[in-house]
Amino acid sequence: MSDGLDVIIVDDDTAACESIADIVNRFYTWGNVFVFTDDEEATLYGLNRESSIAIFVVDVFLKDKSGFLFLDTLSSKFKTIHDDTVMITGNANNDVVDMCVASGINHLLEKPMRPYVLQLAIRSIASKYMTFANRLLNNSEFLIECNRMIGSLNC
């Protein structure tokens, strides 16, 4: 397991997985990239991971279930999974958009993807973690304030 923020790609189309992984590997340096063409294998991997934070790139239509059901299956472990997902599809119609909105997914890309669009979507998700972590590490006053807020939530 890496110590970084990993990207997990799930698409039942092998060629699509390879293409997406190739794009991500060109720019992504904050963690490892994992590719799955079998949603059950991806589910087992996700549930057995030590870390419960990752960026997901998931196809709307998987072989055995929808990408939304796949995400719901992992949501007990990955509390921010919907917010940390780039959903991909061959046809982003109104139903798909509505499902993304209802699920809290803010990134929807159509295949074939333009590499820079995928890069910006993934960077958008990664930056919230990297920015927050840097603030915690480099600003002791911010860390104290976060601890104070956490303490008030636990009351």
Side-chain angles (χ1 to χ4, degrees):
M1 187 188 110
S2 81
D3 292 331
L5 181 61
D6 296 334
V7 174
I8 299 171
I9 301 167
V10 184
D11 191 325
D12 58 355
D13 180 342
T14 303
C17 269
E18 290 173 0
S19 174
I20 295 165
D22 181 53
I23 293 168
V24 175
N25 280 316
R26 282 188 234 152
F27 71 87
Y28 197 75
T29 60
W30 301 288
N32 295 322
V33 177
F34 296 95
V35 177
F36 296 93
T37 56
D38 181 315
D39 58 89
E40 292 300 322
E41 184 182 339
T43 299
L44 287 173
Y45 172 77
L47 292 173
N48 291 314
R49 276 176 57 94
E50 189 174 313
S51 173
S52 62
I53 298 174
I55 297 172
F56 289 83
V57 178
V58 180
D59 191 11
V60 169
F61 300 106
L62 300 171
K63 182 173 60 173
D64 296 328
K65 63 179 83 159
S66 76
F68 299 100
L69 183 58
F70 167 77
L71 295 173
D72 290 345
T73 303
L74 291 175
S75 65
S76 62
K77 169 128 187 202
F78 295 87
K79 302 298 183 193
T80 59
I81 194 167
H82 295 91
D83 206 30
D84 296 342
T85 293
V86 177
M87 193 62 81
I88 56 176
T89 185
N91 181 22
N93 60 34
N94 286 338
D95 290 338
V96 171
V97 172
D98 290 344
M99 288 188 292
C100 285
V101 171
S103 297
I105 296 170
N106 297 313
H107 303 281
L108 174 64
L109 305 179
E110 282 188 305
K111 299 176 195 174
M113 279 176 268
R114 296 192 185 267
Y116 65 86
V117 176
L118 179 60
Q119 179 177 356
L120 290 174
I122 289 174
R123 287 180 57 87
S124 171
I125 295 167
S127 71
K128 72 180 177 183
Y129 290 105
M130 299 307 171
T131 301
F132 189 74
N134 278 332
R135 284 185 185 142
L136 286 175
L137 290 172
N138 297 319
N139 186 335
S140 59
E141 291 175 13
F142 183 69
L143 177 60
I144 291 167
E145 186 63 27
C146 288
N147 280 330
R148 186 179 356 221
M149 287 187 332
I150 291 169
S152 68
L153 293 173
N154 291 331
C155 295

